[in-house]
Amino acid sequence: MENKTIDGVKVAVNYAKADDAPVSEGEIKAYIKRAHDKYPHGQLESLTLDVDGEDVGIHYGLAPVKFDRIRRITGYLVGTLDRFNDAKRAEEHDRVKHEVPSCCIK
């Protein structure tokens, strides 16, 4: 098993047999380029190559995508309140917020 970092990507190469041909740095860069082409909006963090003779299993580790929560507030679907004007902010502030009884929380 080889571990190295190439172009900011953590690379692990696993060989099934001792006589498997080693993977060159050029091949690894080609696999990294393939990941960027296949997942243009993803950020590649790691690459694992499982070498078994002529076969190579490729496993990409992509960074998690930031998720923004969407809520329905005063009839609008919003992520944050920063785009509300003063009237909408006041409406949100004055609304009745219901609580869940403690007997129902699991």
Side-chain angles (χ1 to χ4, degrees):
M1 180 174 183
E2 291 180 35
N3 290 317
K4 54 178 108 177
T5 301
I6 298 177
D7 296 338
V9 178
K10 294 177 186 175
V11 179
V13 182
N14 304 316
Y15 297 100
K17 300 173 201 135
D19 62 343
D20 285 334
V23 178
S24 70
E25 189 168 322
E27 287 178 277
I28 294 172
K29 286 185 178 187
Y31 289 126
I32 292 172
K33 182 184 179 320
R34 179 178 183 267
H36 290 303
D37 292 343
K38 189 172 182 178
Y39 305 104
H41 300 292
Q43 180 182 355
L44 184 64
E45 288 186 332
S46 65
L47 170 69
T48 303
L49 302 174
D50 295 323
V51 180
D52 187 4
E54 294 292 318
D55 299 326
V56 177
I58 307 167
H59 307 281
Y60 298 119
L62 300 174
V65 178
K66 185 176 183 299
F67 178 78
D68 291 329
R69 180 177 160 200
I70 301 290
R71 300 174 288 172
R72 183 175 170 265
I73 299 176
T74 67
Y76 294 91
L77 294 175
V78 296
T80 62
L81 304 179
D82 61 339
R83 298 187 67 194
F84 276 14
N85 63 21
D86 291 340
K88 273 292 172 201
R89 286 178 197 264
E91 184 179 340
E92 189 278 329
H93 181 266
D94 294 340
R95 73 185 178 140
V96 176
K97 296 175 177 89
H98 301 283
E99 294 188 19
V100 178
S102 61
C103 66
C104 300
I105 298 175
K106 293 180 182 183

